[in-house]
Amino acid sequence: MPTLEAQRKAAELQRQLATLTGHQRARVRPYGKHLLIQMHSGASDDNDEHVDTIARLTELARNSYSAAFRSHTGRWEPLPGTGDLATVADLVVSLLGSYLESNT
């Protein structure tokens, strides 16, 4: 089970992504020392919903993160740059914006 701090950081990142993208389809799930950025599509019923993990943020030190995206091969490829949560969220949206677009 994720720590309360990890859950708080995931919620903060999810709010930042919603602000940057203009929609709430990108969700963030804490997973160990990572924050997974996932796009949800399909029906609101969990059985019909499709989830794609687009990127992950990894905490390097207190409030310092790096980012990586999941390539078509399933490997994690690093994105350039590190920074605080807001900086890395902006980097992810700038570089991976087409993957984070809402299909509504």
Side-chain angles (χ1 to χ4, degrees):
M1 175 159 227
T3 65
L4 289 177
E5 181 65 12
Q7 291 174 5
R8 187 184 69 75
K9 292 288 187 178
E12 180 182 338
L13 178 58
Q14 189 165 316
R15 281 190 302 274
Q16 290 174 350
L17 291 172
T19 299
L20 292 168
T21 61
H23 62 79
Q24 301 213 8
R25 299 235 346 256
R27 309 245 179 89
V28 179
R29 183 173 70 92
Y31 184 76
K33 64 180 181 176
H34 307 291
L35 297 173
L36 302 178
I37 299 172
Q38 301 175 322
M39 288 299 291
H40 292 246
S41 61
S44 59
D45 179 6
D46 288 340
N47 294 332
D48 295 336
E49 193 169 46
H50 178 72
V51 177
D52 279 327
T53 301
I54 304 297
R56 74 176 182 197
L57 274 59
T58 302
E59 189 169 25
L60 303 172
R62 184 171 175 86
N63 204 29
S64 179
Y65 295 86
S66 66
F69 72 96
R70 180 170 254 157
S71 72
H72 67 281
T73 64
R75 292 177 42 107
W76 290 106
E77 302 292 340
L79 294 174
T82 61
D84 64 13
L85 203 57
T87 301
V88 178
D90 190 48
L91 173 75
V92 167
V93 171
S94 295
L95 296 176
L96 303 177
S98 62
Y99 296 100
L100 298 170
E101 289 178 0
S102 178
N103 294 336
T104 57

